Amino acid sequence: MKKRVFLTRRLHEFALKKLEKEFEIEIYSGKIPISEKKLQDKIIDVDGLICFPYDKISKKTINIASNLKVISTYSVGFDHIDIEYAKEKKIRVGYTPDVLTDATADMAFSLLIDLARRTSEGDRLIRNGKWREIFGAYDYTGIDLKTKTLGILGLGRIGKALAKRANAFDMKIMYHNRNRLSDLEEKKLNVKYASFSKLISSSDFLSIHVPHTIETDKLFDMKIFKKMKNSAFLINTSRGKVVNEKELIQALKEHVIGGAGLDVFENEPILKNNFLKKLNNVVLSPHIGSSTKETREKMAEITVENLKRGINGKKPIFSVGY
Ligand code: DGY
């Protein structure tokens, strides 16, 4: 009998074909992410699970799936999975790093340029028939990127790729990381190390590239926003929960900081009445950091391979925990 695999969303056809060859698969077809309860009902006797960053894989869910051998997430982030518990239960967890580094760095940089040059704001202005109101010499100015300071919190794969892009635009680059890079690497990347508080207070653009953990949960709150320049822009393509969204909204409303470019949110999809949608100094994108055709195909390939290995008792190509 074929082993059973549940997918919380559709993957590319080529990936589904590969799965169907070996497994009996079921795909959730709902428009919005599957609820935790429904997911629990679906995975009672599956051998493998393919999930996405917005699917919470809790201890309770893992316990319900008593046959589960592998969780393969279509993402580099795995904060939605109780990794410690999966490890305890000897369930493999696969994820998809590396392949999405450039796409996510591009996304962060595109939010940065958008904020600097007010691209999305201009788009809204034209659509709202207000172009006639901005013909003055001082109207609708953005800012140059050259010589502005980009602060990168978390200089891992994506942070480094972002630094490469910022260098091409003659920005000054500071970073803060748990581990400082070697002198040689700092030189190569043209980045300067700074303490967290120096990074916060000196950046014109501050881009977050740390995972969501107990230590980083709601790390960016009003206390931090007040230490930032009031012209500074916050960019987040990592995880929404690293930012206290309620306090960010307040900081943006009161111009405590200059603006924000957000690809990730506390709740995804954001709630209908989220006030961020009303703010002009914010650029929003629907968690599409890794979403290029090429990258998503590579992610699908790795997700399938991780699943296949894990279901057969092997370590996934990219594995976390057990
Ligand atoms: C990831 O892979 O974790 C990204 O956030 C998805 O875009």
Side-chain angles (χ1 to χ4, degrees):
M1 208 170 78
K2 279 183 171 177
K3 289 188 176 145
R4 297 193 56 220
V5 175
F6 184 72
L7 294 89
T8 61
R9 290 198 101 61
R10 271 195 102 69
L11 280 185
H12 303 72
E13 288 308 315
F14 78 85
L16 294 180
K17 275 200 185 117
K18 277 192 193 177
L19 289 171
E20 274 162 351
K21 258 195 198 157
E22 289 183 44
F23 311 113
E24 186 189 323
I25 68 169
E26 187 184 356
I27 308 167
Y28 180 67
S29 59
K31 275 216 167 82
I32 57 165
I34 190 167
S35 70
E36 205 177 345
K37 173 78 190 66
K38 212 172 250 171
L39 175 62
Q40 288 166 356
D41 292 343
K42 289 286 181 190
I43 63 168
I44 292 175
D45 54 6
V46 301
D47 302 277
L49 170 66
I50 290 184
C51 65
F52 287 68
Y54 29 71
D55 303 317
K56 191 165 182 256
I57 315 297
S58 63
K59 187 173 174 172
K60 186 171 174 201
T61 303
I62 291 173
N63 268 334
I64 285 172
S66 53
N67 273 341
L68 196 63
K69 292 162 192 71
V70 59
I71 301 166
S72 178
T73 183
Y74 183 77
S75 61
V76 64
F78 44 77
D79 58 310
H80 53 296
I81 304 168
D82 190 333
I83 299 293
E84 279 314 307
Y85 194 62
K87 193 171 163 185
E88 211 179 300
K89 301 285 281 185
K90 295 205 170 354
I91 293 170
R92 305 278 192 191
V93 178
Y95 71 124
T96 64
D98 288 345
V99 289
L100 47 65
T101 297
D102 284 320
T104 311
D106 285 349
M107 190 68 210
F109 206 71
S110 95
L111 291 171
L112 186 155
I113 299 187
D114 193 320
L115 288 162
R117 301 306 305 273
R118 304 168 67 178
T119 323
S120 293
E121 209 185 322
D123 178 275
R124 285 194 294 275
L125 182 130
I126 293 182
R127 290 175 201 267
N128 292 333
K130 297 217 167 118
W131 192 348
R132 284 174 190 285
E133 293 168 26
I134 59 146
F135 272 112
Y138 289 104
D139 281 343
Y140 214 77
T141 50
I143 57 166
D144 286 338
L145 294 186
K146 196 169 181 165
T147 75
K148 294 292 183 307
T149 297
L150 167 64
I152 303 179
L153 180 66
L155 203 67
R157 288 178 285 246
I158 298 171
K160 285 178 188 167
L162 178 64
K164 245 164 81 180
R165 285 145 178 81
N167 270 316
F169 283 74
D170 295 325
M171 298 183 81
K172 291 184 193 153
I173 308 162
M174 275 183 165
Y175 78 98
H176 181 76
N177 219 20
R178 259 181 314 191
N179 302 314
R180 188 171 172 172
L181 266 54
S182 68
D183 286 354
L184 195 71
E185 236 188 321
E186 283 186 2
K187 229 188 195 149
K188 215 171 102 194
L189 285 167
N190 194 24
V191 295
K192 282 202 168 69
Y193 180 80
S195 66
F196 180 63
S197 68
K198 178 100 172 110
L199 187 89
I200 298 303
S201 59
S202 317
S203 299
D204 297 301
F205 297 88
L206 184 60
S207 194
I208 304 175
H209 298 282
V210 289
H212 175 238
T213 61
I214 297 171
E215 292 83 45
T216 63
D217 185 64
K218 294 194 172 41
L219 173 66
F220 283 82
D221 59 8
M222 190 52 95
K223 232 169 57 210
I224 300 287
F225 299 137
K226 284 192 172 152
K227 288 184 186 149
M228 290 170 68
K229 294 182 182 179
N230 57 18
S231 55
F233 295 110
L234 183 74
I235 295 152
N236 192 8
T237 52
S238 72
R239 281 296 178 265
K241 290 190 167 78
V242 176
V243 174
N244 182 326
E245 204 169 280
K246 199 166 148 222
E247 295 186 12
L248 173 66
I249 290 171
Q250 194 188 340
L252 291 164
K253 260 168 134 175
E254 295 168 6
H255 299 280
V256 177
I257 63 170
L262 306 171
D263 184 50
V264 288
F265 304 86
E266 218 169 284
N267 291 299
E268 295 177 6
I270 60 170
L271 304 176
K272 255 197 185 133
N273 57 355
N274 189 318
F275 201 83
L276 284 169
K277 292 198 278 186
K278 297 216 165 93
L279 295 168
N280 224 7
N281 52 350
V282 178
V283 181
L284 306 171
S285 66
H287 201 151
I288 49 171
S290 64
S291 189
T292 66
K293 183 180 175 294
E294 299 86 344
T295 296
R296 287 278 167 101
E297 282 173 3
K298 287 182 201 146
M299 286 169 72
E301 245 167 63
I302 295 173
T303 303
V304 169
E305 196 49 39
N306 281 342
L307 179 112
K308 279 168 58 172
R309 288 194 188 205
I311 226 167
N312 292 314
K314 292 190 205 141
K315 223 178 169 66
I317 326 176
F318 296 103
S319 168
V320 56
Y322 167 65

